[in-house]
Amino acid sequence: MRRRRRYEVVVEGLSGQAASQRSVIGEHRSEAEAREAAAHERKRLEVIYGEGASAWRIVVVRDDEVVAEERPAASPDRRTPEPEPDPGDPPPPVPTEREEWPDMDMSGPVPDWVINRVEESIARRREKERGTGDEGEATPED
């Protein structure tokens, strides 16, 4: 029986501590699925490693041939430095919390699922603070 060729999504370290690392993180039947997985992995690396994400690359491989490549955003120290501001210019505005999260709508009621999760968390914390007995039942409070 002939085995179908698959597209592999591979994370490779390029520099620093990541240089010697290579991991196959998934196999896919279609190139589109593999490219989508590579894009997702790129975003994940950017979140996890932040500025250090540029030490990695994600490639889609089929039969030892690189079909596609994703590179996480370069760290700020590798970008072109911004020019120094003119001393006579006013300082740039300080971003507010609202500007940092422009896609979140902060108006309106809090969704029920958020309230439920907070209430469950509070209940778990209270149970933990009270402690549990050997039978798993909460011990009586004094």
Side-chain angles (χ1 to χ4, degrees):
M1 179 188 222
R2 185 174 165 224
R3 183 173 178 223
R4 286 186 175 170
R5 289 182 274 163
R6 298 198 181 243
Y7 293 89
E8 292 181 332
V9 179
V10 180
V11 177
E12 296 178 340
L14 300 174
S15 63
Q17 293 178 340
S20 63
Q21 297 182 19
R22 182 181 191 275
S23 299
V24 176
I25 60 168
E27 291 185 357
H28 301 275
R29 290 183 181 178
S30 73
E31 182 177 348
E33 287 177 2
R35 284 178 182 262
E36 184 178 329
H40 177 73
E41 183 66 16
R42 176 188 52 80
K43 291 176 186 174
R44 192 181 77 79
L45 287 174
E46 289 172 346
V47 170
I48 291 172
Y49 293 106
E51 295 176 359
S54 61
W56 302 89
R57 79 175 184 157
I58 302 95
V59 291
V60 176
V61 180
R62 182 173 186 188
D63 295 332
D64 297 326
E65 180 181 332
V66 175
V67 176
E69 180 176 343
E70 290 276 341
R71 294 258 180 147
S75 62
D77 58 350
R78 294 186 184 179
R79 294 183 198 157
T80 307
E82 293 184 20
E84 291 292 320
D86 186 18
D89 291 342
V94 178
T96 63
E97 195 171 323
R98 181 75 170 150
E99 291 173 343
E100 292 175 13
W101 299 92
D103 57 331
M104 292 184 66
D105 183 21
M106 298 294 192
S107 63
V110 177
D112 289 337
W113 68 268
V114 173
I115 294 171
N116 291 339
R117 289 191 64 182
V118 170
E119 289 174 346
E120 290 169 0
S121 176
I122 292 169
R124 284 192 305 271
R125 174 177 255 173
R126 285 184 183 153
E127 286 181 24
K128 186 177 179 182
E129 288 173 356
R130 281 189 287 187
T132 57
D134 292 336
E135 297 82 39
E137 296 176 8
T139 57
E141 294 183 5
D142 292 328

